[in-house]
Amino acid sequence: MALPRPQIAETKHFWLWHGLLPLLAFVVLQELVRHFDLDLRLADGWFRLQGNAWALRDNWLTSDLLHSGGRGFSQLLLVLVLVLLGLTWPVRRLAGWRRGLGYLATAALTGVTLVSLGKHFSAQDCPWSLTRYGGDRPYHPLFDAISGDGGGGCFPAGHASAGYAWLALYFVCLHYWPARARLALLPGLALGLAFGAAQQLRGAHFLSHDLWTLAICWFSSLLLYRWMLMPHNRGITPG
């Protein structure tokens, strides 16, 4: 199957829009969350709206559909990508998709894995475990908790990574169809926001947890794109 030739080569303009500006946006947002104590303010609001309890913790929408169902949906997408990747060898018409599908599977798995490793080494507790919300653990600011005595494993946001991992679709489109790449941001952003919001409503995560997960998935996808898909010569023209 004939595919368009890659058109996005490595330039300073590319790294400005995909690297530096997203990094600055992340730093600013994270600093705003810290300065205005938005983690606790937002969690306090959700907690009060639910009657000073995490009433949505086991709700069918947040727990069954968006948590369990969302995780299953993301796993199904990954299986589909891997099946299609496997078919690129016996089905010659699909061979042109091999690099893109290989990148997509690798980037999605890498984002989820990095977030999972972060949770393994983190001492950050979930909101529902804190004394502030009826639990038995003291609250620690984010980076204090990473090096402190929290019991946690609740940072970054693991479930949101099942959505944000698919930001890698943007880079697949950037490789084959640059003009449509922005639209390819929507699935990963929509899934990540939905999964992250559901977990915040359940008392499982703070806002900052989701921001870090978004950043991890974006920058890992970006670096893998640079390694696996990006043309490195500056003279590439549309083909």
Side-chain angles (χ1 to χ4, degrees), residues 51-103:
N52 292 320
W54 296 114
L56 295 177
R57 180 170 180 173
D58 298 313
N59 180 269
W60 74 270
L61 176 62
T62 55
S63 181
D64 297 334
L65 181 62
L66 291 175
H67 185 252
S68 300
R71 180 174 55 215
F73 177 68
S74 186
Q75 291 170 347
L76 181 63
L77 287 178
L78 180 59
V79 169
L80 177 61
V81 171
L82 291 172
V83 169
L84 289 173
L85 176 60
L87 289 174
T88 62
W89 278 274
V91 182
R92 294 182 61 185
R93 291 181 58 193
L94 297 179
W97 294 93
R98 188 174 302 150
R99 289 184 67 195
L101 290 167
Y103 162 79

Side-chain angles (χ1 to χ4, degrees), residues 27-212:
V27 170
V28 169
L29 287 172
Q30 185 57 42
E31 181 60 21
L32 288 173
V33 170
R34 185 201 65 79
H35 182 77
F36 292 103
D37 212 8
L38 295 182
D39 274 346
L40 290 178
R41 288 176 182 269
L42 189 58
D44 286 352
W46 296 138
F47 191 68
R48 284 194 301 270
L49 285 174
Q50 296 176 53
N52 292 320
W54 296 114
L56 295 177
R57 180 170 180 173
D58 298 313
N59 180 269
W60 74 270
L61 176 62
T62 55
S63 181
D64 297 334
L65 181 62
L66 291 175
H67 185 252
S68 300
R71 180 174 55 215
F73 177 68
S74 186
Q75 291 170 347
L76 181 63
L77 287 178
L78 180 59
V79 169
L80 177 61
V81 171
L82 291 172
V83 169
L84 289 173
L85 176 60
L87 289 174
T88 62
W89 278 274
V91 182
R92 294 182 61 185
R93 291 181 58 193
L94 297 179
W97 294 93
R98 188 174 302 150
R99 289 184 67 195
L101 290 167
Y103 162 79
L104 184 58
T106 301
L109 282 169
T110 298
V112 171
T113 300
L114 289 174
V115 170
S116 180
L117 286 173
K119 289 169 66 68
H120 178 74
F121 291 105
S122 167
Q124 180 80 17
D125 288 297
C126 303
W128 62 38
S129 298
L130 303 177
T131 54
R132 186 185 188 98
Y133 307 114
D136 59 3
R137 299 292 305 171
Y139 170 73
H140 297 282
L142 181 58
F143 291 105
D144 290 348
I146 288 177
S147 59
D149 63 349
C154 208
F155 168 83
H159 190 53
S161 71
Y164 288 132
W166 298 105
L167 289 171
L169 285 167
Y170 168 81
F171 293 102
V172 174
C173 278
L174 195 65
H175 182 66
Y176 293 116
W177 307 287
R180 305 178 186 176
R182 291 182 182 178
L183 287 176
L185 284 171
L186 297 180
L189 287 175
L191 288 174
L193 287 168
F195 295 166
Q199 289 297 83
Q200 289 182 50
L201 287 169
R202 297 179 69 227
H205 287 293
F206 287 116
L207 174 62
S208 62
H209 300 185
D210 288 333
L211 287 176
W212 276 88

